[in-house]
Amino acid sequence: MAHLPPSTAIFSPSIARIAASTAKDWRYVDGWLASKFQGRSVPPFERNPDTLKALLSLATVNETADEERELVARAEFTALKEIGAAREPSDVTPGLPASATVRERILAAIQNHLTREGSTALDSMATLSCQLSAAYPDAEAIGRYMIILHAQAFEQEHMLVRVHIFRKYIEQESATADELLRIMRSDDYKPADDLARQNVELQRKVKAMAVRIPELKDRVAILNQSVVLHFPTIEQTAREESNYFELLAHKKDLDTQVLQFSSLPDDVRRARLQLDSVRAQLRAVVQRRDDVFENLVERQSPHKNR
């Protein structure tokens, strides 16, 4: 317990267990550091719980990485050994090339060491590849095929709905036609009195329209040739917009001028009478203003002595 001060005393079993565990951890850390420095002296550092925790984590991660690296090296050594053995004539399967044997062994080894999720994913990819007839599938191609299949399924569902609606419509029309046929075949049905005349009239209209069809087609062709659609450019649109704003401003000015006459009646004669009355009032006000001005001038002007 070199990390404890000399004056520290252990009074309870729990403290003793903690101290023993801490001492064990420090021994493990010291051994790991000594193995890493390989005979060289370990640099001095502060021994406290935080340092111990950090060194333990570092040692654990380092040992895990060493174990993984050792496993990879062992797997590579085993694979190289199997490849070397497969290249020997005595180990080659009769009728099967050595490269194929190595490939089969590698694939079998990979498949045997897959996890459950990996095996499920591999089986799913193989099944989809067989169904899609893809010789060299990858995840992107399979995903693209799945999207296409979903789109086709969606279109088929909508088509099925439309077919169902169309079928219901046909059934309704068929029922209506059957009912009409039943009524026409019954003894109570009596055709209209002017049915023959209506038939002749319809035939005459059909013949007249059939005669006019070539003429109408020619007129449509001429209109299609003469009508040329012009699409406005940005400059034309800007110019039209400017003209529109100018017209809008002129309209506002006219509205302001017209608003001054809004109090006049709609009748022209009454409007003239009201206008004459307003003019008379204006003349009276002007005359009163002039009189007031003259009186003011006379009062302010000095009187001349005669």
Side-chain angles (χ1 to χ4, degrees), residues 103 161 177 180 194 258 292:
R103 184 170 60 252
V161 172
L180 181 60
D194 57 346
V258 172
V292 170

Side-chain angles (χ1 to χ4, degrees), residues 1 3 19-34 47 52 56:
M1 303 179 184
H3 64 284
S21 176
T22 305
K24 183 178 179 181
D25 292 339
W26 276 113
R27 284 195 300 271
Y28 170 73
V29 169
D30 291 337
W32 176 72
L33 290 174
R47 293 176 175 267
L52 177 61
L56 284 175

Side-chain angles (χ1 to χ4, degrees), residues 148-199:
I148 294 173
L149 288 177
H150 279 293
Q152 292 178 355
F154 182 75
E155 292 179 358
Q156 293 294 333
E157 290 178 358
H158 276 266
M159 188 178 296
L160 183 62
V161 172
R162 290 195 295 268
V163 169
H164 180 67
I165 295 173
F166 187 64
R167 179 182 176 183
K168 290 181 63 177
Y169 175 75
I170 291 176
E171 290 177 354
Q172 292 177 359
E173 292 296 326
S174 177
T176 304
D178 292 339
E179 181 66 21
L180 181 60
L181 182 61
R182 186 186 63 80
I183 293 173
M184 293 178 66
R185 287 180 177 178
S186 63
D187 298 335
D188 298 334
Y189 175 74
K190 292 181 180 180
D193 297 335
D194 57 346
L195 184 60
R197 185 180 60 80
Q198 293 179 3
N199 189 11

Side-chain angles (χ1 to χ4, degrees), residues 50-97:
D50 295 335
T51 306
L52 177 61
K53 184 178 179 181
L55 289 174
L56 284 175
S57 301
L58 182 60
T60 303
V61 173
N62 188 266
E63 288 187 354
T64 303
D66 291 341
E67 291 177 358
E68 292 178 355
R69 188 163 51 251
E70 184 179 356
L71 289 175
V72 172
R74 190 179 303 170
E76 291 178 353
F77 176 75
T78 304
L80 291 174
K81 186 177 180 180
E82 291 180 357
I83 291 173
R87 288 179 177 177
E88 296 179 359
S90 58
D91 293 339
V92 177
T93 304
L96 189 64

Side-chain angles (χ1 to χ4, degrees), residues 112-132:
N112 292 332
H113 288 80
L114 286 175
T115 60
R116 181 180 300 176
E117 292 80 5
S119 300
T120 304
L122 183 60
D123 293 339
S124 300
M125 183 175 290
T127 304
L128 288 174
S129 302
C130 293
Q131 292 180 356
L132 297 173

